[in-house]
Each structure stands twice: as structure tokens, then as C-alpha cells.
Amino acid sequence: MAITSANQLELLQTAEAVAREKMIDAELVIQAMEDSLARAAKSRYGADMDIRVNIDRKTGRATFARIRTVVEDDAVENHHAQLTVKQAKSHLKDPVVGDEIVDEVPPVDLGRIAAQSAKQVILQKVREAERDRQFEEFKDRKGTIINGQVKREEYGNIIVDIGRGEAILRRNEKIGRESYRPNDRIRCYIKDVRREARGPQVFLSRTDPQFMAELFKMEVPEIYDGIIEIKAVARDPGSRAKIAVISYDNSIDPVGACVGMRGSRVQAVVNELQGEKIDIIPWNADQATFLVNALQPAEVSKVVIDDDAGKIEVVVPDEQLSLAIGRRGQNVRLASQLTGLDIDIVTESDESARRQAEFAERTKLFMESLDIDEMMAQLLVSEGFSNLEEVAYVETDELLSIDGFDEGTAGELQTRAREYLEAANTKAMEAARALGVEDSLVEFEGLTPQMLEALAKDGIKTLEDFATCADWELAGGWTTENGQRKKDEGVLEKFDVSLEEAQTLVMTARVMLGWVDPTEFAVAEAVDQDEEAEA
């Protein structure tokens, strides 16, 4: 095809038609045509040449030009598209580096192959422009609900017509038992909008917890107005869900507002989610109270929170265990998602048995180490003493407050406890020395002989060894594998060393060895303290 006056206007008409059809700017189509014609011209004049095409936006006339750029003498890499200042003097009066010499060349005759190649370039550019337009239009709508129409199904994924483009609802984002046919109306949550090399850029979901939150926002005016806030959502898509809400107006009940008159509001959401049962729970800043609400309809007797482990233990009556756990663990799993904590559920009888075992263990410890009878040992445990250090170094008045304890008894108990601990320390230090612990670690402040022995058994025998440890290796921690939290035992965990204490010990060792600048350590500690204060 030759670019003649007969078809010059056709370029503009074609560009406008494509732009209208694809809902993109006509200028982008014309630029694509210019690129395609330039590529075709290079195939005739030479791939090394810099050929540019300009299409007049009024007449449609295509002008072909060869561009040569003036560069430094030693910077010429392509003699067809570059020339030196000296060479440029024959074309320009006073050339400088960066000037361009423009020579118009005859229009090319597009053969069948060249025309096909030009067409492909135009189509590619149009597709890119279409995707960019779609991205710009939907990028700010991420996190909202959109209505669409099912176009087709591909390998279980649903392609949805969302007006000015297409979106994809992946099969793992569909509620289990849902099936769709072409032209069905569908309501989805825009989960993500991102640039992709090809294919849809708008990713939809019907299983995302925020889909349910957005549905409630549409059905409950108080949520839309900000009077009621959705604090947390947990879903088992298609089966059951829990949603925590709080009201900032004392006169409005958040649960009642979400339920609506005769359940009309919540029923509208349930119908959209294919009958998914929804528990609406009042949110509370107190974790224990919130968890008791989250485990409804089960009754809770007691809640024990372990902040370090990020776990929470819930004690329920024996007959409430199955209700608290739920079918296939559904109730406790949703409550865990809602609170962000690992939840262990135990019955009252199990907890009672464990308490009795702990009581018997501590009683035995006091009887053997202090050489006292069972009754006196039980008195100590009953008063809250759990280890020998507490007995040895507590104020004498606390021992005297126990019924039947006089000054002589209290003094003798503390003497025995201190002697036992000193003997244990001596034995532990000898064992640590025998294992090869060096003076640099022994003299490090903050480690007891028992800790030194435990470290030596783990191969940590010098201050350098200690400084290379991670805080979780000492204090223990939790990791998540395949959705399950797994306990990592720490070398010093049995000595009740917290993660923060372990971090401070390790950083102090690194400062002593010159591995860390003391000022940086001080600044880091100050930042940590500020964050704790804010929390």
C-alpha cells in the first residue's frame, strides 16, 4: 500500500474509528500508526537508520524523515544515524553536539508483509493504550464493590464485563457452590488492580472478608456515615462469618443497626452471600471481653492471655466445648481470625487437672529443696510462691503474713533457700566450665550460672558466639508454616527471658565487641521505648 493522497485522509478516519471503538484517545492511535510506518520504512532503508514518520493531524499526509544526530568525535557508534561536529558542518552552519539533521525521504511502498507488520504494531499499541486506560480508570476503585455481567468462563475463572473493560473472578475467589452462565448479573469486590503483561488487570473477589464489610456499608446507612465502624471481619466463605462492630454514638446499638428491622439489613447481605450465616459481634478494646463476644454462642468461664506468645487460652464449661470449637473447628477459627490471636480452648476439668499438677509439682520442689513437710510446702504454693528465688529474696514480712509463720521459721526458710541456690549455682558454673565456657562469657553481666550451662550445652561458649545469636534463638518465638503457628524453643526460654531482654543482651554483647556503634544502639533503644509508650 503506498501512502498517496487517495488514502491520506483514511489514516485519520481509521484512527478516529479505532479510538471510538476502544474508547481511547485518537492521538494514541495516530502515534501507533507513525511508529508502524517508521518500522516499515526501516525495513526498506536500513534498520540502522533513524527513520521517523509524522502524520499531519489535519490533512493526514505522512512525512518520512531520516534523522542524524550530532555527537562527540569519539562517541559515534552508528554512522547511519550519527555524525561528528566536523561532518555536520556541511549540513549546518554552526553545529553543536545534540543538533539533529533532518532529511526528508520518499514515502515507502508497503508490501503485503510490511503492511501486515504495520497492522500488528498498531494493534499492539492500541491494546497497550486500552490496558493503560482501564488501569487508570479502575486503580482508584480498588476496595469497592462493582456490578458486572458474566461474559464467559475460562478454566473455572469467570470473565466479567464491567462496562469499559473486562475483569476476572478467579475460581478460588468464588463462593464454593456458586455457578454462573453468560449474561448473569454479578456483584463483586475489586480486590486488586495492577498492570499485567497481558490479560485482565482488574481482579475481583466474592470471598474476601472486605466484600462483606462493603455490603454492610451499602445496607447500613450508619456505617456509611461513620457512626458505626466495622473493626474486624472473619469469613468461611459460603458457610459462616463473624463481623465486629462498634458505635460512636451511645444512643445507637451497633448490632441492632446492622441487623435491621426484623433482620432486613443482615438478610440482604446473607442473600447476596448465598445464605452465609453471619454473627454480628460488639467490638471491645479489652481483648478478653472481645474474645468472649467472638466465641458466641458458646459461654466462656475464664480467659488467660499470654502476650509474649501471642496466644490466648479460653476456659469453657465441659458441656460447651463442642459449641466453642464449632463444626470442624469453624467457630474458634473465625474467632481467632477476628481477634488476631491463637486461641487454645480447654475445659474446666482439664484446667483444674493442670492446676492441681502444677500445685503438686511446686509442692514437691519446696519439700525437696527446703527439707520441709508437705503442709508447709502447700502453704507456700497457696500464697503464690512458685520458685526458690522468690522464697530466698522476698521481703521477710511477706513470709510472716502466712498463717503459722514466725520470724524464726521465715528466717530459716530463706537461709535454706539461699544455700540451695548457691549450691546449685556452684554446680552449674562447674558444669559450664567443664563444657568449655570462656571468661569473656562468664564475666558478661546478665547471665546466671544455669544460663551459662544451657548456652554451653548449645555450643555457645564465648562472647563472640553469644553476640551472633538472634533474640528468638535465646527467648524462643513463633513461626507460621502452612497457616499453622509453630513454636521455636529458645536456649534461655526456660529462664523466662523475654524477647526484648534477649535483644538487649545480644546488642550489649555486640557493643562490647565493637560490632555496633553504642550511639546507634542508644538511639534504637529510645525509638523502641517511644513505640512501646505509644502502644
Side-chain angles (χ1 to χ4, degrees):
M1 173 181 79
I3 305 297
T4 63
S5 58
N7 56 34
Q8 285 175 358
L9 285 174
E10 286 184 15
L11 290 176
L12 297 180
Q13 292 168 355
T14 302
E16 290 175 2
V18 171
R20 279 196 303 271
E21 181 185 348
K22 301 296 184 181
M23 291 179 287
I24 57 177
D25 188 358
E27 178 65 23
L28 295 173
V29 181
I30 294 174
Q31 289 174 5
M33 289 178 170
E34 290 173 341
D35 290 343
S36 65
L37 291 173
R39 180 177 294 188
K42 282 184 180 181
S43 66
R44 173 179 171 181
Y45 290 114
D48 292 335
M49 288 193 180
D50 183 5
I51 304 292
R52 301 178 194 175
V53 177
N54 179 62
I55 296 175
D56 190 291
R57 282 8 180 210
K58 293 182 179 178
T59 65
R61 180 175 182 272
T63 305
F64 291 71
R66 176 191 179 188
I67 309 297
R68 285 177 291 176
T69 306
V70 180
V71 298
E72 299 283 357
D73 291 349
D74 56 352
V76 177
E77 295 178 355
N78 180 0
H79 293 284
H80 296 285
Q82 297 172 330
L83 38 73
T84 64
V85 174
K86 185 178 179 181
Q87 292 170 336
K89 286 182 178 178
S90 60
H91 301 275
L92 299 173
K93 184 178 181 182
D94 191 15
V96 294
V97 173
D99 283 351
E100 291 183 342
I101 298 172
V102 181
D103 296 319
E104 189 169 342
V105 295
V108 296
D109 231 355
L110 293 185
R112 184 178 60 82
I113 296 176
Q116 189 66 24
S117 174
K119 181 180 178 183
Q120 290 298 324
V121 172
I122 293 172
L123 289 175
Q124 178 64 27
K125 293 284 185 180
V126 168
R127 277 196 293 267
E128 289 175 5
E130 203 175 0
R131 282 199 289 270
D132 287 340
R133 188 265 309 160
Q134 187 176 358
F135 176 78
E136 291 299 323
E137 181 176 344
F138 289 100
K139 68 178 182 180
D140 296 328
R141 297 183 64 181
K142 179 180 175 181
T144 62
I145 287 179
I146 192 169
N147 293 314
Q149 191 172 26
V150 175
K151 288 189 75 172
R152 62 187 181 277
E153 184 174 348
E154 295 179 353
Y155 307 107
N157 303 323
I158 303 296
I159 306 302
V160 181
D161 184 351
I162 50 176
R164 297 183 64 178
E166 289 182 352
I168 184 169
L169 176 66
R170 297 190 186 278
R171 57 185 172 187
N172 62 323
E173 297 290 347
K174 293 191 295 182
I175 296 175
R177 53 180 175 268
E178 287 183 330
S179 62
Y180 297 99
R181 291 177 296 182
N183 299 322
D184 282 353
R185 301 297 300 175
I186 187 172
R187 181 183 287 181
C188 298
Y189 175 77
I190 301 179
K191 188 174 184 178
D192 197 11
V193 181
R194 60 177 182 262
R195 296 185 186 274
E196 291 275 315
R198 56 187 175 182
Q201 298 170 297
V202 182
F203 298 90
L204 306 177
S205 175
R206 283 179 58 82
T207 61
D208 194 284
Q210 290 305 312
F211 179 47
M212 189 174 74
E214 289 297 315
L215 288 173
F216 269 105
K217 188 181 292 185
M218 294 171 66
E219 295 294 336
V220 184
E222 291 86 349
I223 296 177
Y224 183 82
D225 293 337
I227 300 171
I228 294 174
E229 182 184 355
I230 298 173
K231 300 290 285 186
V233 183
R235 286 183 67 192
D236 190 352
S239 177
R240 193 172 175 189
K242 290 179 183 286
I243 180 169
V245 292
I246 185 173
S247 173
Y248 295 112
D249 186 338
N250 294 332
S251 63
I252 295 177
D253 171 27
V255 176
C258 291
V259 171
M261 186 71 70
R262 296 179 183 174
S264 58
R265 291 175 174 177
V266 71
Q267 193 58 47
V269 177
V270 168
N271 292 340
E272 179 63 43
L273 299 177
Q274 305 295 318
E276 192 170 311
K277 295 181 177 64
I278 301 174
D279 296 335
I280 303 173
I281 296 159
W283 185 85
N284 197 295
D286 179 57
Q287 277 187 331
T289 306
F290 181 34
L291 183 59
V292 170
N293 294 339
L295 281 170
Q296 292 176 3
E299 297 176 7
V300 176
S301 303
K302 186 168 69 172
V303 174
V304 181
I305 298 175
D306 184 347
D307 290 324
D308 292 335
K311 295 187 69 174
I312 194 163
E313 185 178 86
V314 177
V315 182
V316 298
D318 291 25
E319 67 276 6
Q320 292 280 316
L321 180 62
S322 59
L323 189 60
I325 294 175
R327 188 177 59 181
R328 301 194 188 111
Q330 187 183 63
N331 193 52
V332 68
R333 184 171 65 252
L334 291 175
S336 179
Q337 291 176 19
L338 207 64
T339 57
L341 290 169
D342 267 357
I343 302 172
D344 288 335
I345 295 185
V346 296
T347 61
E348 290 177 343
S349 57
D350 288 341
E351 199 228 359
S352 176
R354 189 182 64 193
R355 277 205 315 268
Q356 289 174 6
E358 289 176 355
F359 189 88
E361 186 180 346
R362 290 174 184 172
T363 300
K364 184 180 178 182
L365 169 68
F366 290 143
M367 288 172 64
E368 293 177 352
S369 57
L370 301 178
D371 191 21
I372 57 178
D373 61 25
E374 185 177 6
M375 182 176 292
M376 186 174 287
Q378 288 178 348
L379 278 172
L380 286 171
V381 177
S382 300
E383 290 295 325
F385 290 94
S386 58
N387 55 56
L388 289 173
E389 285 82 359
E390 292 177 357
V391 177
Y393 303 111
V394 76
E395 293 291 335
T396 308
D397 290 344
E398 289 197 33
L399 289 172
L400 291 174
S401 66
I402 302 174
D403 288 340
F405 279 40
D406 55 23
E407 289 188 9
T409 304
E412 180 63 23
L413 282 175
Q414 290 197 310
T415 300
R416 291 183 186 183
R418 289 168 184 168
E419 288 175 351
Y420 185 91
L421 290 172
E422 287 172 7
N425 288 343
T426 302
K427 183 179 178 182
M429 184 60 76
E430 290 174 353
R433 291 285 192 187
L435 289 168
V437 171
E438 296 185 5
D439 289 340
S440 61
L441 192 58
V442 172
E443 294 166 3
F444 181 69
E445 189 176 347
L447 298 177
T448 65
Q450 286 83 359
M451 290 180 182
L452 291 169
E453 183 183 6
L455 290 168
K457 287 180 178 178
D458 203 59
I460 302 167
K461 302 176 182 180
T462 67
L463 191 60
E464 286 81 0
D465 294 340
F466 186 77
T468 59
C469 293
D471 49 11
W472 62 268
E473 290 179 299
L474 299 176
W478 295 83
T479 54
T480 303
E481 291 183 6
N482 300 322
Q484 298 292 325
R485 282 173 65 85
K486 179 185 174 185
K487 184 73 176 73
D488 295 319
E489 297 295 336
V491 182
L492 303 181
E493 188 172 355
K494 62 183 178 181
F495 302 105
D496 293 330
V497 175
S498 68
L499 206 61
E500 291 76 15
E501 291 169 340
Q503 188 178 34
T504 301
L505 287 171
V506 171
M507 291 301 292
T508 303
R510 291 173 183 174
V511 169
M512 290 175 64
L513 291 168
W515 297 358
V516 175
D517 187 346
T519 56
E520 291 180 8
F521 179 42
V523 169
E525 272 199 323
V527 170
D528 289 342
Q529 289 173 359
D530 289 344
E531 288 177 352
E532 286 179 9
E534 287 178 8

